[in-house]
Amino acid sequence: MFSHVRNLGRLIRAAWVLSRYDALFAIDAGEPPAPVKAARAIARVRQKIGGANKLADGAQASEGDRLAAALTELGPSYIKLGQFLATRPDVVDPALARDLAKLQDRLPPFDTDTAQAIIVEEFGEPWSALYGEMSDAIAAASIAQVHKATTVEADGTTRDVAVKVLRPGIEQRFAADLETFFWVARLIDRAVPSSRRLKPIDVVQTLADSMALEMDLRLEAAAMSEMAERTKGDAGFRTPAIDWERTSKRVMTLEWIPGIPIADRARISAANLDPKAVAANLITTFLTHAVREGYFHADMHPGNLFVEADGSPGGTLVAVDYGIMGRLNAKESRFLAEILFGFVIRDYRRVAEVHFEAGYVPENKSVDGFAQALRAIGEPILGREAHEISMARLLAQLFEVTGQFEMETRPELIMLQKTMVVVEGVARDLDPDFNMWKTAEPVLRQWLESRIGPEGRLQDAVKGAERMGRLMGDLPDLLETAERAARSLAGPRGFGGGGGVADGLKLHPDTAKAIANAQAERERPNRIALWVGAVALAVIAVAVVI
């Protein structure tokens, strides 16, 4: 009861702020649950009495701009919610999602003394024992802020580092707001059946999982370390090095990146780098991570990307801020590559088949009908000049089709699609004539040939044999467990035995003995069958190579 009252109060406050920016349209759609209607009604009264505030410049702003301003006033949790919804054009209108993508995660910094106090609290020693110098904040966002500092190495040399410090009290603030977000999502899920395809509770859970990663800087550091390990040896990309000795839950220390911000086209050209090559390297890197690794940086806006001159035309891309990461399993990575490559070569039938094979579209739908819908999406896009392609229009059509064919929302794929749009936008700023599809084709073709060709099939066969080998190794333990279970069920009173519930289910000793004998009889043939299966897999693997 008290939690309902508390959450309703927070919802009314949010609606009130939305009304001040004439942004109540955000909760106007459809038939929302009763508490949302009540909050909206109260805010409407406030709006009629006081009028809606305009943005600072006095101009009539777009809906997205007004909503972004309201979310900024509501605080860090709502800023993150807005940024997250910008990655979900299946949940909000694609045009609104595009506007929310401009939402700036910038807040006034907290003072350096507070940051230093947090460092002392985390490490249990004076901050000056860890860092030689420490500047005021050079960047401040909703969750943390960054300081430039120096460390003194064992040989007496100094090293520039970036120190990221969580905002004081931010964990408690997010926990309270997430409670309200979940409350509203559950209300919507129960009261608006048509919303269930979009999985509102899962949407908030995905946001909560992302926030948990960002609230523990050790996890962000681990994400950065994993990316470094996965991409070791890759040309054209690297991650900053982590200083683990100076990293904790609320403080992270990493290598200072002196590279050129990717949005600074003039400096890129002045460093003898080719903006077109930088754009191509960005897209190639992103697709390689997503398809080959199934692990990608999902917040690749210009503020998180730097370029280092390395003698090549495209330089080396350095990404920072690994608080939001995307993951795809091996099957999803293959499906993704086939879908994108199918669009590139205009094989819409194969794209449709992949959707059905992956289980994205219900089996009772028509493959040919879905292929026709995909053609309606792809043909207006492919083959046109880069500046004529509207990715927002593509997404709008795509999500309209998902509704027509009853496709359930796949958050990981939505995140990937939106990141792709953001990355393409960054590339277009560097090269207005950039064509993502042409750049993607060789990357996708090479990966698919390696996975679907003979080499890939051999690798799959070997992995299958390894899994069967592990199963064979576990078989004796499984049989022993089954035998113990059979013996534990056996008892002098037979099956049930009149012993009542307290005695549990019993098997007659003769029955238990028969089960044990049958297991013994089956054990040897089963082992032989498993070995035959393993040999068969090996033969298949050899046949594939031949």
Side-chain angles (χ1 to χ4, degrees):
M1 177 62 182
F2 288 111
S3 64
H4 288 297
V5 173
R6 181 171 62 247
N7 286 314
L8 179 58
R10 293 173 184 153
L11 182 59
I12 290 173
R13 173 183 173 268
W16 196 296
V17 173
L18 289 172
S19 75
R20 293 180 56 225
Y21 288 88
D22 196 18
L24 279 172
F25 64 86
I27 55 177
D28 274 346
E31 282 295 319
V36 178
K37 287 182 179 179
R40 184 177 62 185
I42 293 171
R44 287 288 186 207
V45 173
R46 160 64 176 80
Q47 189 177 37
K48 289 179 180 179
I49 295 174
N53 286 352
K54 302 299 182 182
L55 297 184
D57 60 5
Q60 185 62 43
S62 68
E63 288 187 346
D65 288 337
R66 299 199 307 272
L67 180 57
L71 295 176
T72 300
E73 180 170 326
L74 283 167
S77 306
Y78 287 85
I79 292 174
K80 284 297 178 184
L81 176 64
Q83 290 181 318
F84 179 72
L85 290 177
T87 70
R88 299 298 305 271
D90 60 321
V91 177
V92 299
D93 181 76
L96 182 60
R98 188 172 62 252
D99 283 342
L100 286 176
K102 305 172 187 175
L103 183 61
Q104 297 297 309
D105 189 359
R106 295 174 185 169
L107 290 177
F110 53 94
D111 61 87
T112 303
D113 289 342
T114 300
Q116 292 170 347
I118 292 173
I119 292 172
V120 172
E121 183 179 345
E122 287 292 295
F123 296 103
E125 55 184 311
W127 71 268
S128 56
L130 298 166
Y131 307 102
E133 297 178 356
M134 184 172 174
S135 72
D136 291 335
I138 58 172
S142 57
I143 291 179
Q145 65 185 33
V146 177
H147 301 256
K148 185 176 183 179
T150 59
T151 59
V152 180
E153 305 302 312
D155 60 2
T157 59
T158 59
R159 180 169 59 102
D160 290 337
V161 294
V163 182
K164 188 172 183 177
V165 184
L166 286 186
R167 284 185 175 274
I170 192 65
E171 299 96 332
Q172 294 78 9
R173 176 72 179 271
F174 267 95
D177 287 337
L178 281 172
E179 178 189 4
T180 302
F181 295 164
F182 273 114
W183 181 72
V184 173
R186 285 190 290 268
L187 288 174
I188 293 173
D189 188 68
R190 287 197 300 266
V192 189
S194 62
S195 72
R196 290 171 190 160
R197 183 183 68 85
L198 300 176
K199 302 180 179 179
I201 298 174
D202 288 352
V203 168
V204 178
Q205 186 61 58
T206 303
L207 174 63
D209 292 342
S210 173
M211 291 302 96
L213 181 64
E214 293 198 64
M215 291 295 174
D216 189 339
L217 295 179
R218 295 170 300 187
L219 297 180
E220 182 182 341
M224 198 177 302
S225 175
E226 180 179 352
M227 180 62 81
E229 184 177 310
R230 286 173 174 266
T231 58
K232 185 178 181 180
D234 286 1
F237 177 82
R238 76 177 186 89
T239 60
I242 299 293
D243 185 338
W244 286 103
E245 292 184 4
R246 296 176 176 85
T247 294
S248 68
K249 182 176 182 179
R250 304 180 68 200
V251 178
M252 179 173 66
T253 306
L254 62 154
E255 168 193 2
W256 179 260
I257 302 299
I260 304 168
I262 199 167
D264 197 336
R265 198 174 188 278
R267 285 183 60 190
I268 287 174
S269 298
N272 293 322
L273 292 165
D274 181 1
K276 294 179 182 290
V278 173
N281 181 45
L282 171 63
I283 296 297
T284 300
T285 295
F286 169 71
L287 287 175
T288 299
H289 294 174
V291 174
R292 186 191 72 188
E293 300 298 330
Y295 186 61
F296 59 94
H297 192 304
D299 194 18
M300 297 185 77
H301 64 76
N304 287 339
L305 301 173
F306 297 86
V307 184
E308 293 179 337
D310 61 3
S312 67
T316 295
L317 180 70
V318 186
V320 299
D321 195 350
Y322 286 69
I324 305 176
M325 303 298 294
R327 288 185 186 273
L328 303 172
N329 62 36
K331 286 185 178 180
E332 287 171 338
S333 293
R334 182 172 67 82
F335 290 143
L336 167 69
E338 286 204 67
I339 288 170
L340 290 178
F341 190 66
F343 267 112
V344 169
I345 64 174
R346 296 179 174 179
D347 187 350
Y348 302 111
R349 171 75 186 192
R350 180 54 190 156
V351 175
E353 290 172 348
V354 171
H355 276 79
F356 280 81
E357 291 170 10
Y360 297 157
V361 181
E363 292 182 357
N364 63 344
K365 298 298 179 181
S366 165
V367 176
D368 291 328
F370 191 59
Q372 182 178 354
L374 293 174
R375 179 179 293 275
I377 295 173
E379 286 302 307
I381 300 297
L382 301 173
R384 300 177 68 89
E385 295 297 324
H387 66 274
E388 297 177 321
I389 297 176
S390 170
M391 191 60 68
R393 181 182 174 189
L394 170 65
L395 285 175
Q397 286 186 286
L398 179 60
F399 292 119
E400 183 179 342
V401 167
T402 64
Q404 293 172 353
F405 285 84
E406 299 178 8
M407 292 173 59
E408 288 194 346
T409 298
R410 300 297 299 251
E412 69 280 5
L413 296 180
I414 298 296
M415 179 179 288
L416 179 106
Q417 287 173 321
K418 183 59 182 179
T419 306
M420 190 182 300
V421 173
V422 172
V423 171
E424 184 186 30
V426 176
R428 288 267 182 86
D429 287 340
L430 291 166
D431 177 11
D433 296 324
F434 180 79
N435 190 316
M436 181 173 181
W437 301 103
K438 288 183 179 179
T439 305
E441 180 176 1
V443 178
L444 298 171
R445 184 186 296 276
Q446 180 181 5
W447 189 86
L448 284 171
E449 288 175 352
S450 70
R451 295 302 305 157
I452 300 178
E455 181 181 349
R457 292 178 182 175
L458 176 60
Q459 291 175 356
D460 289 342
V462 170
K463 289 179 181 177
E466 289 175 349
R467 286 195 295 271
M468 181 168 284
R470 287 194 294 271
L471 176 62
M472 292 169 60
D474 292 338
L475 184 59
D477 292 336
L478 292 172
L479 292 174
E480 184 179 345
T481 300
E483 185 178 358
R484 284 200 303 269
R487 288 174 178 171
S488 69
L489 290 173
R493 303 183 193 182
F495 192 80
V501 177
D503 289 333
L505 179 66
K506 300 292 185 182
L507 293 178
H508 191 277
D510 292 341
T511 303
K513 183 177 180 179
I515 292 174
N517 290 338
Q519 288 172 336
E521 289 295 323
R522 287 195 299 267
E523 180 175 347
R524 186 171 180 274
N526 282 346
R527 287 174 181 267
I528 293 173
L530 286 170
W531 277 109
V532 171
V535 172
L537 277 175
V539 172
I540 292 171
V542 172
V544 168
V545 175
I546 294 173

